[in-house]
């Protein structure tokens, strides 16, 4: 949303959250992908409509 050209500055990525991948994280990064998705949906307060949209657009591997 913030990118208007090919050039990517620090400001371009201001909407990308910084994640803590350490053992102190509030997310269990060792969980299966579907469980990770649920944890992230809850963390960011996504609505049922938003979750359904994501799951329709992104196919699980």
């Amino acid at each position: 949303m913030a990118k208007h050209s090919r050039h990517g500055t620090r400001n371009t990525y201001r909407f990308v959250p910084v994640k803590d991948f350490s053992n102190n994280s509030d997310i269990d990064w060792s969980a299966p992908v579907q469980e990770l998705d649920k944890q992230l949906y809850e963390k960011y307060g996504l609505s049922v409509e938003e979750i359904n949209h994501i799951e329709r657009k992104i196919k699980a591997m």
Side-chain angles (χ1 to χ4, degrees), residues 44-56:
Y44 292 107
L46 273 68
S47 69
V48 172
E49 293 82 17
E50 291 168 321
I51 293 168
N52 289 338
H53 176 78
I54 291 167
E55 293 186 351
R56 277 194 314 271

Side-chain angles (χ1 to χ4, degrees), residues 22-41:
S22 74
N23 291 333
N24 298 325
S25 176
D26 57 342
I27 301 294
D28 177 7
W29 297 106
S30 66
V33 172
Q34 288 180 325
E35 178 60 31
L36 278 172
D37 289 346
K38 288 179 185 177
Q39 291 180 57
L40 291 167
Y41 295 157

